[in-house]
């Protein structure tokens, strides 16, 4: 298992956001984390990436506890994420945005940068090459010199994923990557996620586009009101009565005589 979430709970004052949620992610799989708005999905992402700590429970990555780590240390471990709202460096180029993502893997210090030593120049050249490779993966090579804010919405989404890939992750968390996309952009996203999986990078996906989730995920975990209500294959989730009720609701019987 790459990631183990064990009995995680989170409360914010009097609000219980998550209650005893447990699941694991196998190496190389795409795991979907789904549920209605307010179910606690992004809260779970925020705890995995140390945006804030759980109230109770344990999260471990390759058998190493993530308790007490800071967000940059989580990235260094090999976990990265994207966000619901695009967070690019809008006035930087596409290429520069990807280069920034590789910052956590750099070893050159301040003085070597100031004096432009041989090792610093070699590392800078390697970062440039890596950025080019990632732009090829996400299909943005022809836009490398474009300013990020000038890209289309779907291209910006792919750039954000590219920047995350630049950190050399073993696990990538995608928070509603298809939100706001048209049919063509969603198809391109599907292809990109499959390409990421082929690179042996594990994917944890929050998404409301159910056709995409059912098509791309190996397994799915379902949250509702902060609790796990189901876990299984897409087919098992598709036919799960409790999941159907959580998403669609059930018609109450008329008790009026």
């Amino acid at each position: 298992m790459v990631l183990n979430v064990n009995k995680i709970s989170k409360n914010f004052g009097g609000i219980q956001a998550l209650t005893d949620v447990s699941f694991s992610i196998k190496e190389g799989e795409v795991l979907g984390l789904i549920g209605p708005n307010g179910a606690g999905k992004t809260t779970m992402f925020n705890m995995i990436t140390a945006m804030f700590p759980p109230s109770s429970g344990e999260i471990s990555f390759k058998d190493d506890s993530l308790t007490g780590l800071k967000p940059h240390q989580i990235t260094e471990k090999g976990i990265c994420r994207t966000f619901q709202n695009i967070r690019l460096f809008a006035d930087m180029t596409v290429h520069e945005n990807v280069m920034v993502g590789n910052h956590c893997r750099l070893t050159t210090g301040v003085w070597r940068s100031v004096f432009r030593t041989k090792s610093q120049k070699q590392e800078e050249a390697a970062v440039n090459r890596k950025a080019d490779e990632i732009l090829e993966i996400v299909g943005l090579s022809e836009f490398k010199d474009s300013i990020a804010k000038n890209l289309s919405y779907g291209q910006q989404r792919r750039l954000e994923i590219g920047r995350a890939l630049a950190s050399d992750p073993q696990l990538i968390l995608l928070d509603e990557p298809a939100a706001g996309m048209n049919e063509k952009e969603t198809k391109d996203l599907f292809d990109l996620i499959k390409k990421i999986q082929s690179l042996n990078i594990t994917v944890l996906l929050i998404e409301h586009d159910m056709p995409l989730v059912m098509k791309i995920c190996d397994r799915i975990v379902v949250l509702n009101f902060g609790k796990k209500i189901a876990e299984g294959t897409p087919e098992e989730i598709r036919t799960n009565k409790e999941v159907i009720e959580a998403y669609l609701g059930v018609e109450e019987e008329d008790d009026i005589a």
Side-chain angles (χ1 to χ4, degrees):
M1 295 295 176
V2 171
L3 187 80
N4 281 292
V5 174
N6 185 31
K7 293 186 176 298
I8 286 294
S9 295
K10 182 63 182 179
N11 56 70
F12 299 95
I15 299 175
Q16 190 71 28
L18 289 168
T19 304
D20 290 334
V21 176
S22 298
F23 62 87
S24 298
I25 309 176
K26 300 174 185 177
E27 184 175 358
E29 77 173 339
V30 177
L31 179 73
L33 184 62
I34 69 171
N37 289 329
K41 306 181 296 297
T42 296
T43 298
M44 179 60 71
F45 266 32
N46 287 337
M47 285 188 291
I48 294 172
T49 54
M51 300 295 286
F52 42 71
S55 300
S56 62
E58 181 77 17
I59 301 174
S60 59
F61 180 66
K62 294 197 168 182
D63 296 325
D64 291 333
S65 173
L66 301 183
T67 301
L69 297 184
K70 298 183 182 302
H72 74 273
Q73 294 173 314
I74 297 292
T75 303
E76 290 168 357
K77 281 271 188 187
I79 301 174
C80 68
R81 70 172 294 181
T82 63
F83 293 84
Q84 286 181 11
N85 299 316
I86 296 173
R87 299 187 182 184
L88 296 173
F89 296 101
D91 294 313
M92 292 171 61
T93 68
V94 169
H95 194 261
E96 288 167 343
N97 265 274
V98 176
M99 289 177 65
V100 168
N102 193 232
H103 180 267
C104 68
R105 304 299 175 197
L106 302 184
T107 59
T108 300
V110 174
W111 292 112
R112 278 188 285 178
S113 297
V114 170
F115 291 107
R116 299 283 293 167
T117 63
K118 180 179 179 181
S119 61
Q120 190 276 335
K121 292 178 181 178
Q122 290 173 336
E123 187 171 62
E124 183 178 322
V127 171
N128 273 283
R129 287 194 301 272
K130 184 175 183 63
D132 287 338
E133 292 170 1
I134 290 173
L135 289 177
E136 183 68 31
I137 291 171
V138 299
L140 294 175
S141 295
E142 63 183 295
F143 303 101
K144 64 177 293 184
D145 296 321
S146 300
I147 301 300
K149 65 183 179 184
N150 294 334
L151 296 180
S152 70
Y153 181 83
Q155 290 168 341
Q156 288 187 33
R157 281 286 185 191
R158 281 187 279 139
L159 177 56
E160 189 174 41
I161 293 173
R163 187 178 59 185
L165 291 174
S167 68
D168 286 331
Q170 299 172 58
L171 170 65
I172 185 169
L173 283 58
L174 304 178
D175 196 347
E176 297 194 35
M181 285 189 173
N182 60 37
E183 187 175 344
K184 171 64 167 57
E185 290 169 336
T186 301
K187 170 62 169 62
D188 291 342
L189 175 67
F190 173 87
D191 293 340
L192 176 55
I193 294 174
K194 295 303 290 185
K195 190 180 295 184
I196 291 170
Q197 186 180 26
S198 73
L199 296 173
N200 201 35
I201 298 172
T202 307
V203 180
L204 177 57
L205 172 72
I206 292 176
E207 187 51 65
H208 285 290
D209 186 326
M210 286 302 100
L212 175 63
V213 169
M214 293 298 173
K215 187 177 179 183
I216 202 165
C217 291
D218 300 301
R219 291 187 302 119
I220 300 170
V221 172
V222 188
L223 301 181
N224 193 31
F225 294 111
K227 297 180 180 180
K228 186 175 82 170
I229 62 171
E231 179 176 353
T233 64
E235 184 57 35
E236 289 169 338
I237 296 303
R238 185 183 288 110
T239 57
N240 184 291
K241 182 179 178 181
E242 194 169 359
V243 174
I244 295 171
E245 291 176 357
Y247 268 99
L248 302 178
V250 291
E251 186 174 338
E252 295 183 2
E253 293 183 9
D254 190 351
D255 293 330
I256 299 176

